[in-house]
């Protein structure tokens, strides 16, 4: 308190203006950045713009429904949003309802945190076959993302393959393998629950290009998978040749993860004659070469190329294809090989799926416009858990604080007052925080009726209707 | 109280399950609202002083209630540690990562369980004396405890 007073008294600019900050994307990166800015700046006004009528991004639409604890962070974000100088404006699409240039004209700083919403393609033959899905769309489907609610997925088959070995791949496997009674207690959407309850899937392969020492999933997710009720894990013991010898030399996280895999390998679980048991089968050193289809373009299998690893650094060894091929028979496949960001506005330049930046600052020649920043997956690429996004968002917000402190004493920017005039021409349904609170209450009440913590509204029109009621 | 009771008689695994339960390691003072015994009332008032030393050298000294976790202390005293305790003590994040002095680490009554270690593995600046603040319950003899809060930013990544 006294520090702030002294700072104000000795400040060279007694009439300090209130910087206007615009954040595009109400996911964890946006909220963590807002948290830092409101804590560190004496005066600031923050407007968070979001494409959907509802906040929280991947916390709401990415975190698996059986991980409700991870979503507790919503409470911290809600506190941020409830501050008088933070505003949420939902249902506004950058590049459509408002252009980046307009934002940069009317704010002192613009931070882009709209994430990575597109999935990467494998770029192989028959990738458009029916029953080949992006893991991302499947996640969106069970989590109620409006764009994915109508996904037509056929679970009447025996075998599925997930291509990729990250945490999203494990989420997909776990949701497909978890006994349905356990999912009914979560906030998983009703439409997916009814499809999952009819599932005939018996076995799921988790296919990776490289070996056990290079898997991208983290230990918590693996531990959960290995503990899953009515599910056995079948490894190929040969994949673990020599792994045991290397374990002592690994850094602690990789070491513990590998030890957990080895422990499971050594249990030597086998196929049993029990219709209630399902199987989880990790498969290493294989890259998909092409999808095999029947005459109706239904998926019938995947041709895999066998790989070998080269390089000295074990954790970053590269895989090299051999001439050897094998066929994996399956009727359903998910690609889970990462995401990329979209170019939301004509003025943006993306490189390798993200916006190039230096500690969050996006360099460009438009010196007459507000400085542009990027945080979260849009800037770093789609890697890491919430903690990593938090660290990155704080770091970028710190740079923003320094820059905003140096702002010259020009007139206060108009901010949303001005921007909303343009938005109103394109879209009359801006949803504010009160609107979200109505949606929230509605969803929780609807969930209560069927014994779930929440039943999400999966339709944008319906969200708007409830928010405006 | 309930937790202390369970702690005294149970195995390491059971302790993890209990601690994993948000209802018990919660922010609210459930224990003081519904005391289960009179000894709890006496215990409730026991206070000690502890200090959080932030990565930038800033020291946050605070009074803390015996029986609270380090996460409870941060929340109840509204200590300014950014992003601390995102999952609210449910062992699903590592934002409450703290580093203890060697001697303090060694005298903690319990070793971290697998689930806590799993989360620590994701933390930045992991050390041999790292713990999650939500898993450290304060006892009377911890008066004067100093806890380091490491930076949440991994410079290698950006």
């Amino acid at each position: 308190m006294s520090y702030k007073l002294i700072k104000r008294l000795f400040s060279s600019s007694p009439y300090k203006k209130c910087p206007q900050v615009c954040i595009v994307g109400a996911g964890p990166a946006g909220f963590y950045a807002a948290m830092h800015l409101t804590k560190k700046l004496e005066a600031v006004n923050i407007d968070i713009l979001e494409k959907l009528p509802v906040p929280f991004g991947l916390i709401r639409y990415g975190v698996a429904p059986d991980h409700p604890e991870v979503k507790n962070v919503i409470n911290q974000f809600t506190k941020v949003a409830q501050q008088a100088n933070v505003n949420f404006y939902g249902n506004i699409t950058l590049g459509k309802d408002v252009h980046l240039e307009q934002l940069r004209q009317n704010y002192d700083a613009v931070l882009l945190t709209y994430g990575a919403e597109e999935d990467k393609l494998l770029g192989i033959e028959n990738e458009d076959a029916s029953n080949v899905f992006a893991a991302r769309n499947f996640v969106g489907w069970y989590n109620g993302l409006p764009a994915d609610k109508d996904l037509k997925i056929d679970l009447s088959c025996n075998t599925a393959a997930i291509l990729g070995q990250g945490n999203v791949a494990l989420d997909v496997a776990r949701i497909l393998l978890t006994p349905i009674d356990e999912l009914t207690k979560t906030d998983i959407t009703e439409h997916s629950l009814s499809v999952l309850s009819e599932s005939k899937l018996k076995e799921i392969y988790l296919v990776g290009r490289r070996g056990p020492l290079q898997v991208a999933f983290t230990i918590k997710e693996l531990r959960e998978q290995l503990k899953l009720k009515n599910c056995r894990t079948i490894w190929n013991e040969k994949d673990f040749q020599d792994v045991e010898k290397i374990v002592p030399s690994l850094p602690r996280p990789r070491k513990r993860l590998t030890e957990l895999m080895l422990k499971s390998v050594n249990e030597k679980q086998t196929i049993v004659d029990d219709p209630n048991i399902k199987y989880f089968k990790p498969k290493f050193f294989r890259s998909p070469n092409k999808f095999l289809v029947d005459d109706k373009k239904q998926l019938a299998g995947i041709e895999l190329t066998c790989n070998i690893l080269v390089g000295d650094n074990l954790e970053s060894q590269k895989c090299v294809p051999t001439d050897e091929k094998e066929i994996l028979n399956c009727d359903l496949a998910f690609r889970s090989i990462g995401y990329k960001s979209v170019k939301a506005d004509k003025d943006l330049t993306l490189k390798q799926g993200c916006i190039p930046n230096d500690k969050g600052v996006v360099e460009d020649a438009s010196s007459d416009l507000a400085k542009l920043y990027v945080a979260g997956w849009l800037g770093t690429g789609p890697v890491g858990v919430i903690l990593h996004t938090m660290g990155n968002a704080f770091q970028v917000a710190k740079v923003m604080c320094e820059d905003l402190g140096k702002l010259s004493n020009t007139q206060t920017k108009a901010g949303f007052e001005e921007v909303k005039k343009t938005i109103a021409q394109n879209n009359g349904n801006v949803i504010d925080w009160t609107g979200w609170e109505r949606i929230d209450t509605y969803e929780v009440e609807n969930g209560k009726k069927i014994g779930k913590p929440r039943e999400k509204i999966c339709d944008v029109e319906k969200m708007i209707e409830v928010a405006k009621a | 109280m309930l937790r202390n009771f369970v702690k005294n008689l149970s195995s390491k695994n059971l302790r993890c399950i209990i601690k994993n339960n948000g209802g018990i390691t919660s922010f609210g003072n459930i224990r003081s609202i519904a005391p289960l015994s009179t000894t709890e009332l006496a215990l409730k008032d026991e206070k000690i002083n502890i200090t959080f030393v932030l990565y930038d050298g800033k020291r946050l000294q605070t009074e803390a209630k015996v029986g609270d976790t380090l996460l409870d202390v941060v929340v109840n005293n509204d200590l300014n540690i950014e992003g601390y305790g995102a999952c609210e003590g449910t062992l699903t994040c590592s934002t409450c990562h703290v580093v203890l002095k060697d001697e303090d680490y060694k005298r903690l009554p319990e070793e971290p369980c697998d689930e806590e270690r799993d989360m620590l593995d994701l933390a930045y600046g992991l050390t041999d004396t790292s713990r999650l603040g939500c898993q450290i319950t304060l006892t009377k003899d911890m008066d004067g405890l100093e806890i380091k809060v490491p930076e949440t930013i991994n410079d290698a990544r950006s």
Side-chain angles (χ1 to χ4, degrees):
Chain A
M1 190 64 202
S2 59
Y3 169 72
K4 277 187 184 166
L5 189 68
I6 292 164
K7 207 168 134 193
R8 210 171 294 155
L9 285 173
F10 290 91
S11 165
S12 56
S13 49
Y15 306 107
K16 209 151 180 93
K17 70 167 191 172
C18 176
Q20 300 286 321
V21 174
C22 180
I23 297 177
V24 182
F31 270 106
Y32 274 125
M35 185 189 284
H36 187 91
L37 292 169
T38 52
K39 268 199 180 149
K40 302 288 159 156
L41 294 171
E42 297 175 45
V44 65
N45 182 73
I46 300 174
D47 295 334
I48 305 177
L49 273 48
E50 164 62 42
K51 187 162 96 171
L52 287 164
V54 294
F56 308 135
L58 282 185
I59 304 293
R60 179 177 160 102
Y61 290 117
V63 173
D66 57 344
H67 288 168
E69 308 86 4
V70 178
K71 300 187 200 193
N72 283 347
V73 71
I74 283 176
N75 297 331
Q76 286 190 359
F77 295 163
T78 299
K79 274 187 201 150
V80 172
Q82 283 168 343
Q83 295 178 71
N85 58 341
V86 177
N87 305 295
F88 169 80
Y89 299 114
N91 198 34
I92 298 173
T93 306
L94 175 67
K96 201 180 115 216
D97 296 326
V98 64
H99 286 284
L100 184 61
E101 193 180 359
Q102 293 165 312
L103 295 177
R104 293 180 72 188
Q105 280 162 352
N106 291 295
Y107 286 91
D108 293 300
V110 176
L111 170 65
L112 302 177
T113 56
Y114 65 76
E117 63 180 282
E118 220 167 60
D119 72 295
K120 285 185 183 152
L121 288 165
L122 290 158
I124 58 174
E125 212 175 308
N126 295 324
E127 201 162 353
D128 58 345
S130 58
N131 251 12
V132 175
F133 296 98
R136 160 130 240 172
N137 296 131
F138 182 68
V139 171
W141 173 73
Y142 66 63
N143 274 334
L145 187 68
D148 293 327
K149 70 175 195 302
D150 298 320
L151 198 77
K152 292 280 169 282
I153 184 159
D154 179 7
L155 301 179
S156 65
C157 50
N158 188 71
T159 307
I162 300 168
L163 303 165
Q165 294 183 326
N167 280 339
V168 176
L170 278 190
D171 278 349
V172 170
R174 194 179 66 255
I175 293 296
L176 289 169
L177 292 167
T178 299
I180 198 79
D181 301 347
E182 295 188 20
L183 291 178
T184 52
K185 293 177 261 174
T186 72
D187 70 356
I188 192 167
T189 49
E190 277 300 291
H191 64 245
S192 46
L193 208 50
S194 69
V195 176
L196 286 166
S197 66
E198 302 286 313
S199 168
K200 298 278 182 292
L201 280 177
K202 280 291 286 180
E203 53 174 10
I204 295 182
Y205 286 92
L206 198 78
V207 183
R209 289 182 297 145
R210 298 190 285 170
L213 290 169
Q214 291 87 20
V215 292
F217 51 70
T218 51
I219 188 166
K220 171 186 181 270
E221 279 70 18
L222 177 67
R223 194 183 295 283
E224 222 174 340
Q225 176 60 47
L226 297 177
K227 280 184 181 170
L228 211 58
K229 232 198 268 171
N230 293 343
C231 183
R232 292 183 156 220
T233 303
I234 314 275
W235 307 85
N236 180 3
E237 254 179 87
K238 271 192 211 145
D239 291 340
F240 288 82
Q241 249 172 18
D242 299 330
V243 168
E244 213 146 349
K245 276 184 253 165
I246 295 158
V247 167
S249 65
L250 296 170
R252 171 176 150 176
R254 179 66 66 184
K255 182 174 173 221
R256 294 188 63 248
L257 176 60
T258 312
E259 281 170 346
L260 183 61
M261 279 189 271
L262 282 169
K263 186 173 163 246
S264 173
V265 173
N266 291 332
E267 283 169 14
K268 299 183 201 294
Q269 297 192 352
T270 49
I271 310 280
V272 284
D273 187 22
D274 180 342
N276 291 319
I277 300 291
K278 295 179 179 180
Y279 300 93
F280 173 65
K281 300 179 169 179
K283 203 171 180 62
F284 296 102
F285 309 110
R286 300 287 184 276
S287 294
N289 197 42
K290 63 177 170 191
F291 291 106
L292 308 171
V293 293
D294 64 14
D295 48 3
K296 285 184 204 127
K297 240 202 153 182
Q298 290 277 343
L299 183 71
I302 309 174
E303 185 183 278
L304 300 169
T305 302
C306 305
N307 299 321
I308 48 165
L309 293 181
V310 294
D312 295 331
N313 185 341
L314 288 168
E315 283 189 79
S316 60
Q317 278 184 321
K318 292 222 157 31
C319 69
V320 178
T322 66
D323 293 334
E324 207 182 318
K325 301 263 190 297
E326 76 179 30
I327 305 287
L328 172 64
N329 291 315
C330 62
D331 327 87
L332 171 65
F334 301 90
R335 58 170 178 269
S336 181
I337 52 163
Y339 305 143
K340 60 184 179 184
S341 298
V342 295
K343 181 181 155 125
D345 192 277
K346 60 180 169 52
D347 292 339
L348 288 170
T349 314
L350 273 81
K351 218 174 171 180
Q352 284 161 345
C354 43
I355 296 182
N357 64 93
D358 179 21
K359 291 200 172 70
V361 179
V362 182
E363 298 290 351
D364 71 38
S366 321
S367 57
D368 51 331
L369 294 171
K371 251 185 147 171
L372 186 62
Y373 304 85
V374 59
W377 281 5
L378 180 59
T380 63
V383 280
V385 297
I386 297 164
L387 175 85
H388 306 123
T389 291
M390 176 181 99
N392 175 257
F394 286 166
Q395 197 178 28
V396 175
K398 201 173 148 196
V399 174
M400 290 176 74
C401 286
E402 286 162 14
D403 291 350
L404 288 170
K406 288 184 240 155
L407 265 191
S408 56
N409 252 339
T410 48
Q411 71 194 92
T412 296
K413 293 286 176 72
F416 199 70
E417 277 307 303
E418 193 57 38
V419 170
K420 76 175 179 196
K421 291 178 194 162
T422 319
I423 294 169
Q425 291 165 10
N426 304 321
N427 163 3
N429 288 315
V430 173
I431 307 299
D432 61 10
W433 195 258
T434 316
W436 153 244
E437 284 175 333
R438 287 198 193 102
I439 295 173
D440 187 35
T441 309
Y442 181 94
E443 290 184 340
V444 171
E445 276 172 8
N446 272 353
K448 213 181 272 172
K449 290 178 198 157
I450 44 174
K452 286 161 77 173
R454 167 189 305 275
E455 184 60 42
K456 289 178 192 166
I457 306 175
C458 307
D459 182 85
V460 171
E461 296 305 315
K462 180 71 186 172
M463 286 177 185
I464 294 169
E465 186 197 310
V466 171
K468 298 260 166 182
Chain B
M1 179 60 205
L2 177 64
R3 184 172 50 191
N4 289 342
F5 171 67
V6 173
K7 198 188 302 176
N8 291 337
L9 95 195
S10 74
S11 72
K12 196 161 75 181
N13 277 345
L14 180 56
R15 221 157 48 215
C16 274
I17 295 161
I18 296 297
K19 288 202 159 184
N20 221 334
N21 183 330
I24 293 177
T25 320
S26 77
F27 291 156
N29 283 322
I30 291 164
R31 278 158 287 171
S32 55
I33 294 164
L36 295 171
S37 78
T38 46
T39 46
E40 168 66 13
L41 283 172
L43 194 73
K44 196 182 73 178
D45 288 319
E46 285 198 75
K47 297 266 174 75
I48 56 172
N49 278 300
I50 61 170
T51 307
F52 291 87
V53 183
L54 306 192
Y55 62 89
D56 59 2
K58 203 180 281 170
R59 296 171 67 85
L60 304 174
Q61 201 188 357
T62 187
E63 203 169 63
K65 217 159 50 187
V66 168
D68 271 1
T69 66
L70 287 180
L71 174 61
D72 293 334
V73 175
V74 171
V75 172
N76 294 340
N77 296 301
D78 205 12
L79 296 184
N80 190 3
I81 307 178
E82 243 180 352
Y84 200 83
C87 78
E88 304 183 350
T90 55
L91 273 180
T92 52
C93 80
S94 46
T95 56
C96 66
H97 176 203
V98 294
V99 176
L100 300 173
K101 287 181 185 157
D102 204 30
E103 62 266 29
D104 292 331
Y105 183 86
K106 280 183 191 146
R107 67 190 172 117
L108 285 179
E110 320 149 8
E111 296 224 318
C113 62
D114 282 341
E115 284 74 11
E116 181 180 349
R117 285 179 207 264
D118 290 355
M119 284 299 123
L120 282 168
D121 281 356
L122 295 174
Y124 293 132
L126 177 65
T127 70
D128 290 340
T129 59
S130 286
R131 290 293 303 261
L132 292 183
C134 66
Q135 301 300 305
I136 298 177
T137 304
L138 294 172
T139 55
K140 210 177 151 191
D141 62 345
M142 287 182 187
D143 192 28
L145 184 71
E146 257 188 41
I147 312 106
K148 228 172 91 188
V149 182
E151 200 166 9
T152 51
I153 294 168
N154 178 5
D155 286 321
R157 231 172 71 91
S158 45

